[in-house]
Amino acid sequence: MKVAIATDDYKSVTGHVGRCNGFLIVTVENGEIKETEERENNFTNHGRGNHGHGHHHHGEDHRSGHQRLAEGLEDCSHLICHGVGWRLVEDLTVAGVKPILTNEEDALQAAIKLENGTLEILEDAECREH
């Protein structure tokens, strides 16, 4: 199982997916971490340092930050985070990435628990944003 985890420090799970510093990509098999990768959040406008101030640059990528993010994580089956907006949930779902909301703090433990079915998943937190 290959999962993405929204993070600011590549150790702990964070809240707002669009504003996180990056994603810890974790491959888990039979409860063991097989591989990790750190992916900087260059997908969303917030992550790129563009905070919606109306700046437009010639040649700028015209796909939305959500589309870029979904495409950037499409090799993962799940995205673990503390909060995500419904529009991003829709874009991730289209890309085949299932958002998982949890209160788990430790990124690697979250990946292991998701793989073995013991991660506490928040069913009602889909539209929560920090």
Side-chain angles (χ1 to χ4, degrees):
M1 170 181 279
K2 188 172 185 178
V3 299
I5 302 156
T7 184
D8 287 327
D9 60 7
Y10 298 102
K11 293 180 181 75
S12 55
V13 181
T14 193
H16 193 293
V17 173
R19 292 189 182 102
C20 70
N21 290 332
F23 300 92
L24 183 62
I25 310 301
V26 180
T27 303
V28 186
E29 292 176 15
N30 301 318
E32 292 184 22
I33 304 295
K34 297 295 184 184
E35 188 177 340
T36 62
E37 172 194 346
E38 295 179 1
R39 263 183 220 171
E40 192 174 342
N41 182 7
N42 291 319
F43 308 113
T44 64
N45 289 328
H46 295 297
R48 296 164 144 217
N50 302 324
H51 298 283
H53 300 298
H55 299 289
H56 180 80
H57 302 284
H58 186 68
E60 184 177 323
D61 188 345
H62 290 283
R63 294 171 299 157
S64 76
H66 288 175
Q67 288 173 310
R68 286 190 303 269
L69 176 60
E71 290 169 9
L73 300 178
E74 67 187 357
D75 60 327
C76 301
S77 60
H78 298 79
L79 169 62
I80 299 172
C81 58
H82 286 172
V84 63
W86 64 268
R87 285 185 304 257
L88 181 53
V89 167
E90 288 181 351
D91 289 339
L92 287 167
T93 302
V94 167
V97 181
K98 181 173 176 49
I100 301 291
L101 286 93
T102 184
N103 284 329
E104 176 67 47
E105 296 290 330
D106 185 284
L108 294 178
Q109 284 301 309
I112 291 169
K113 288 178 179 180
L114 178 64
E115 195 248 358
N116 70 22
T118 62
L119 183 65
E120 184 180 337
I121 297 172
L122 305 174
E123 299 293 343
D124 61 344
E126 187 171 281
C127 295
R128 183 177 67 169
E129 296 199 23
H130 297 301

